Amino acid sequence: DKTIEYLDSLGGSGARYIRAVRSWLRAELGEEYVQEEWAELRTVSARQNNALDCGVFVCFNTLAVMRGLPPETAFQAEDMPRARRMVAAVLLNGGFSGPFEF
């Protein structure tokens, strides 16, 4: 899709990370990289209320985007205890199939 999407559950701007991604793309693609062809999406994430849930927010932001849901409203900080159990269940189950399929 030629998009760079940045989500930050702590509310940062991500400007330096977007620059880093563009730099990597430039190095990786060489002459095939055309900056104007790459859109920057500033998708809003739900906000986490601690410094411990970053990884769970990454997983659930990704899941929301993959399902076409707005991450800002697909889940909230209050959902993290259940979200952690879901991540553990998927890892223990070996994937998104079987008794833990959702």
Side-chain angles (χ1 to χ4, degrees), residues 42-65:
R42 303 290 175 117
T43 306
V44 178
S45 170
R47 294 294 298 265
Q48 68 184 78
N49 58 9
N50 61 38
L52 305 173
D53 290 329
C54 298
V56 182
F57 270 83
V58 168
C59 292
F60 276 75
N61 277 327
T62 303
L63 185 59
V65 169

Side-chain angles (χ1 to χ4, degrees), residues 10-65:
L10 292 173
S13 74
R16 76 180 204 183
Y17 301 110
I18 290 172
R19 281 193 305 273
V21 168
R22 285 191 176 279
S23 178
W24 176 82
L25 285 167
R26 205 173 297 111
E28 192 70 23
L29 299 176
E31 292 180 14
E32 293 180 35
Y33 175 72
V34 178
Q35 181 169 328
E36 295 75 26
E37 293 179 353
W38 288 82
E40 292 178 14
L41 303 179
R42 303 290 175 117
T43 306
V44 178
S45 170
R47 294 294 298 265
Q48 68 184 78
N49 58 9
N50 61 38
L52 305 173
D53 290 329
C54 298
V56 182
F57 270 83
V58 168
C59 292
F60 276 75
N61 277 327
T62 303
L63 185 59
V65 169

